[in-house]
Amino acid sequence: RLRAETARDLGFEPMPDPSRSVAGAHALLATEDEAEATALSGILAQDGIVVTRASDVNIAWDRLLHEEFDIAVLSLWLDDGEGLRLASRMRAQSATREVPVLLVADTDQRNQVLRGFDLGANDHVLRPVDANELRARARNQIRRKRYQERLRADLQRSLEMAVTDSLTGLRNRRYVTRHLEGLLRAGGATLLLIDVDRFKSVNDTYGHAIGDTVLREVAERLRLHLRAVDVVARFGGEEFVVAMAPQPADDAGLVAERLRLAVCERPVQVGDKSLDISISIGVAVARPDCTVDELAATADIALYRAKALGRNRVEI
Ligand code: GH3
Ligand code: MG
Ligand code: MG
Ligand code: MG
């Protein structure tokens, strides 16, 4: 488990921030009663909430679909009880699913309010509406919704980081291993194992930072010369892999040859330095029931042969 400090360093908030202003939040206010609409708008405006009014269910739904809201304040009795149906419709549609619903109800509508919770409403206020209560409940829902959005964005970012190699921006070893497992389960895979030639001497001659720049440039050339369906990853160190659908060895050899040329055809420019870089590639086509490790081992044998035969070449 992440320590709290680590989580904070990574930008995760432990909970919604109760001191955070809701000014600028956008509310949909749907009530059939003009006077109530004016009164509730005025109350919400005290927190800087921008209110869009809707006097019936159709107008409300249209607004919800076409504008971004942080909260929907719905009169339960809207169009003779359609308020609840609107709440449940909001939950059924992805565009409105995350918008909190605050019901405005009469004291004798408690049962409908309870049903409303089952349909996805988040909170309620009873008439006569107490200004401070409405404000507090609205703020609470808006903050919760914004927090949820942040968590979702953080999760997305974390997932992205978990599958990305930070030096090159390519997929990482973990990802490509899973991807290969999937390809093998689905019937087969082709693997290119790529190793930069005499890379140690790049580091020794020019330093590690320039070595890193070369790795980024090699990664970019590989990426540019592959189809979007082929997964290219940094496997570790100065090794890369390409995972492709099963195909005849000769076809895979042509792809590998294209990549080899893309790397060696023109020097890598780093500042005023011009470096001749090349790669060797081992190609492996999966046999039935082969595992990722077996596929990688086969490609490794081919790669070793490419190195032994002089480097800057493809072996199958
Ligand atoms: P060969 O043609 O046989 O592959 O020779 P080589 O020098 O590339 O092989 P070797 O495996 O001996 O050296 C690989 C070098 O790659 C060693 C290591 O310092 C360097 N290396 C590994 N990871 C990184 C990295 O992330 N950045 C940099 N700059 N260098 C790295
Ligand atoms: Mg190596
Ligand atoms: Mg080596
Ligand atoms: Mg090498």
Side-chain angles (χ1 to χ4, degrees):
R1 180 183 301 174
L2 281 186
R3 287 165 57 223
E5 296 80 16
T6 313
R8 244 195 322 277
D9 288 346
L10 289 169
F12 292 100
E13 293 286 340
M15 55 183 271
D17 179 357
S19 67
R20 211 178 184 119
S21 164
V22 298
H26 201 172
L28 177 82
L29 173 61
T31 170
E32 64 286 2
D33 181 338
E34 274 285 313
E36 179 172 77
T38 304
L40 299 189
S41 293
I43 293 169
L44 294 170
Q46 290 177 44
D47 284 311
I49 298 171
V50 180
V51 178
T52 297
R53 283 156 68 158
S55 55
D56 70 40
V57 162
N58 292 330
I59 297 173
W61 183 241
D62 187 65
R63 289 297 169 90
L64 282 165
L65 288 182
H66 294 105
E67 292 172 43
E68 297 257 330
F69 291 101
D70 299 296
I71 189 169
V73 181
L74 308 181
S75 168
L76 199 68
W77 264 143
L78 196 64
D79 297 336
D80 298 326
E82 290 292 314
L84 276 193
R85 198 166 320 193
L86 180 59
S88 81
R89 216 151 118 195
M90 287 175 65
R91 291 298 169 255
Q93 187 122 349
S94 64
T96 53
R97 187 167 294 146
E98 311 294 332
V99 180
V101 169
L102 181 65
L103 297 173
V104 182
D106 293 329
T107 42
D108 62 358
Q109 290 177 319
R110 286 177 182 279
N111 283 335
Q112 283 104 309
V113 168
L114 298 187
R115 243 196 89 219
F117 288 145
D118 279 334
L119 294 175
N122 302 84
D123 202 358
H124 76 300
V125 289
L126 294 178
R127 296 186 179 97
V129 174
D130 177 86
N132 287 332
E133 183 182 347
L134 173 62
R135 289 175 58 187
R137 292 188 189 276
R139 287 194 303 262
N140 186 38
Q141 291 301 325
I142 291 166
R143 289 192 188 111
R144 192 187 51 73
K145 186 236 187 191
R146 290 180 165 178
Y147 179 63
Q148 198 168 303
E149 280 169 350
R150 264 199 66 178
L151 284 185
R152 195 187 307 280
D154 287 349
L155 176 62
Q156 193 62 42
R157 202 163 40 88
S158 303
L159 287 174
E160 194 65 38
M161 276 167 54
V163 297
T164 303
D165 170 58
S166 61
L167 178 71
T168 61
L170 296 181
R171 290 303 185 218
N172 60 19
R173 184 179 189 129
R174 175 195 295 132
Y175 178 86
V176 76
T177 303
R178 292 285 165 81
H179 181 72
L180 280 166
E181 284 165 2
L183 285 174
L184 290 172
R185 265 197 309 276
T190 306
L191 179 68
L192 310 183
L193 186 57
I194 301 169
D195 188 287
V196 182
D197 295 328
R198 308 227 185 269
F199 188 67
K200 196 173 175 306
S201 81
V202 173
N203 277 330
D204 291 349
T205 312
Y206 303 103
H208 207 265
I210 284 179
D212 283 357
T213 304
V214 169
L215 290 180
R216 277 192 287 264
E217 175 62 21
V218 169
E220 183 62 9
R221 291 187 189 188
L222 297 177
R223 200 179 58 75
L224 282 174
H225 289 81
L226 284 164
R227 297 162 301 180
V229 290
D230 301 327
V231 169
V232 54
R234 180 156 172 243
F235 212 48
E238 29 77 83
E239 285 184 20
F240 300 87
V241 302
V242 177
M244 300 185 291
Q247 56 196 284
D250 287 351
D251 293 353
L254 289 177
V255 176
E257 191 58 21
R258 188 170 78 223
L259 297 178
R260 186 188 69 76
L261 285 172
V263 172
C264 74
E265 70 191 350
R266 67 193 153 81
V268 173
Q269 290 299 138
V270 189
D272 59 355
K273 295 177 184 63
S274 190
L275 312 185
D276 288 313
I277 302 295
S278 68
I279 55 177
S280 297
I281 305 180
V283 179
V285 180
R287 293 175 217 287
D289 299 324
C290 132
T291 66
V292 172
D293 285 346
E294 287 162 354
L295 190 62
T298 307
D300 203 38
I301 290 167
L303 173 62
Y304 184 82
R305 202 162 49 236
K307 294 284 185 184
L309 291 171
R311 297 177 173 78
N312 193 16
R313 58 185 289 151
V314 174
E315 285 292 314
I316 299 176

